[in-house]
Amino acid sequence: METIKEIVITASPMNRRALRLACAGALMLLAQFAPQFAHAQYSWIDDKGSRVFSDRPPPPGTPANRILKTPRRPGADDNALALAVASPAPLDAPKQPGLADREADYRKRQSQRQEDEKKAQAEAAHKADLQQMCADTRQAEAQLASGVRISQMSADGERSYMSDEERARRLARTRESLAQCR
């Protein structure tokens, strides 16, 4: 069997060029897939606080927050690998919320936000109504305090004028209502 060196020496100059191009292409192809064949690299902080680099996973019992780097595998989740390498959580530790729990919390916050918006809109509408009522009451107070004769229509359609006693009573009630507006 001939080695590559012997093939290159015995080949013609034209074939040498083609052979070099083929070798360069093979090297480029190999370089493209090299990361998949490289050794796995792990990095974590040990108990002494030193950063450790290794091609082996950290020892069991290493907390997940101390694992700095794990190798990437196609289709694998880095967090899942780090959790698999780390020791299982103690039974008394709080459980991390799952997707369903986070979704339920999100929906709860969303419904709370909608309720708060409804309350704010109702409060704004109430405030606007109160302001309008106060403006109407101020206008009625000005009319009653002006001294101009005020007429009223009775149920049978006849016009009658307000007496001074009636005007004083209505002015007192109007001023009581205005006390809430301030």
Side-chain angles (χ1 to χ4, degrees), residues 4-71:
I4 293 179
K5 190 174 184 181
E6 292 172 353
I7 293 173
V8 172
I9 293 173
T10 59
S12 67
M14 196 63 141
N15 286 342
R16 284 183 193 164
R17 187 179 211 186
L19 190 58
R20 285 183 186 146
L21 285 174
C23 287
L27 285 174
M28 286 177 33
L29 189 64
L30 184 61
Q32 188 176 22
F33 291 107
Q36 292 180 355
F37 302 117
H39 289 287
Q41 290 294 317
Y42 293 89
S43 176
W44 70 91
I45 297 176
D46 65 2
D47 295 334
K48 298 176 186 174
S50 301
R51 188 169 182 170
V52 179
F53 297 93
S54 177
D55 61 344
R56 295 178 185 234
T62 304
N65 62 350
R66 288 183 153 203
I67 299 174
L68 304 174
K69 182 181 172 194
T70 58

Side-chain angles (χ1 to χ4, degrees), residues 77-119:
D77 183 18
D78 289 341
N79 293 335
L81 182 60
L83 290 175
V85 170
S87 67
L91 296 177
D92 60 342
K95 182 180 142 189
Q96 292 290 338
L99 183 60
D101 295 333
R102 289 185 293 184
E103 180 71 19
D105 287 343
Y106 170 75
R107 294 209 185 275
K108 183 179 178 182
R109 287 191 313 268
Q110 191 177 27
S111 66
Q112 183 65 35
R113 188 177 306 125
Q114 288 174 350
E115 288 176 15
D116 291 344
E117 287 175 2
K118 284 180 183 178
K119 284 181 182 179

Side-chain angles (χ1 to χ4, degrees), residues 55-177:
D55 61 344
R56 295 178 185 234
T62 304
N65 62 350
R66 288 183 153 203
I67 299 174
L68 304 174
K69 182 181 172 194
T70 58
R72 284 199 147 220
R73 291 184 292 167
D77 183 18
D78 289 341
N79 293 335
L81 182 60
L83 290 175
V85 170
S87 67
L91 296 177
D92 60 342
K95 182 180 142 189
Q96 292 290 338
L99 183 60
D101 295 333
R102 289 185 293 184
E103 180 71 19
D105 287 343
Y106 170 75
R107 294 209 185 275
K108 183 179 178 182
R109 287 191 313 268
Q110 191 177 27
S111 66
Q112 183 65 35
R113 188 177 306 125
Q114 288 174 350
E115 288 176 15
D116 291 344
E117 287 175 2
K118 284 180 183 178
K119 284 181 182 179
Q121 287 176 352
E123 189 174 312
H126 176 70
K127 190 174 182 179
D129 290 343
L130 186 61
Q131 287 178 347
Q132 182 62 41
M133 184 193 73
C134 289
D136 293 344
T137 307
R138 283 188 192 97
Q139 186 178 6
E141 179 194 26
Q143 210 174 29
L144 289 168
S146 70
V148 176
R149 293 194 69 181
I150 300 175
S151 64
Q152 300 175 3
M153 295 295 270
S154 64
D156 57 353
E158 290 191 24
R159 179 178 287 181
S160 64
Y161 291 98
M162 190 181 299
S163 67
D164 290 336
E165 293 84 24
E166 179 67 22
R167 180 189 298 256
R169 277 195 306 267
R170 286 195 182 186
L171 187 59
R173 280 194 311 223
T174 303
R175 287 185 175 151
E176 286 175 11
S177 296

